């Protein structure tokens, strides 16, 4: 079970229909769920994540997944470097 907290947000200003906002939020949650192993097993600290969709158009799962994966990999690399410095 993950010890990290997560949240997702899609602004109403960009997507007026709740159906569109909910669809994008589901995509972001699923992308994080499938890639949370990048931070669960490798980081010693607990984190709170908030993913905010800033695009203006509805995108497919592949784009959302690649964006979230890139962010989690960057965090993993940065935290790995910080832990090495502390030792």
């Amino acid at each position: 079970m993950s010890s990290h907290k997560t949240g997702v947000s899609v602004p109403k200003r960009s997507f007026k229909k709740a159906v569109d906002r909910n669809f994008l939020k589901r995509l972001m949650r699923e992308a994080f769920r499938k890639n949370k192993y990048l931070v669960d097993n490798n980081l010693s600290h607990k984190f709170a994540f908030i993913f905010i969709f800033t695009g203006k158009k509805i995108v497919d799962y592949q784009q959302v997944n690649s964006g979230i994966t890139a962010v989690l990999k960057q965090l993993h690399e940065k935290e790995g470097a910080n832990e090495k410095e502390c030792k």
Side-chain angles (χ1 to χ4, degrees):
M1 188 164 161
S2 176
S3 60
H4 306 293
K5 305 244 184 212
T6 59
V8 295
S9 177
V10 179
K12 191 173 184 179
R13 179 181 296 173
S14 299
F15 299 95
K16 300 295 182 192
K17 294 181 182 177
V19 173
D20 295 336
R21 292 192 304 274
N22 291 337
F23 173 73
L24 290 167
K25 287 191 272 189
R26 277 196 307 273
L27 289 181
M28 289 191 293
R29 283 189 204 108
E30 180 67 8
F32 180 76
R33 184 186 70 81
K34 287 198 170 194
N35 294 297
K36 67 182 174 183
Y37 70 91
L38 292 170
V39 291
D40 276 350
N41 301 331
N42 302 319
L43 300 178
S44 59
H45 297 83
K46 294 181 182 179
F47 288 93
F49 298 102
I50 181 83
F51 297 102
I52 302 172
F53 189 88
T54 57
K56 299 289 182 191
K57 296 181 181 178
I58 296 177
V59 296
D60 61 348
Y61 175 75
Q62 295 301 327
Q63 289 178 299
V64 172
N65 188 38
S66 65
I68 288 182
T69 303
V71 168
L72 295 178
K73 283 182 180 178
Q74 283 179 344
L75 176 69
H76 173 67
E77 291 170 3
K78 192 171 188 173
E79 283 298 309
N82 287 342
E83 287 180 11
K84 289 178 184 175
E85 289 176 4
C86 293
K87 289 182 179 180

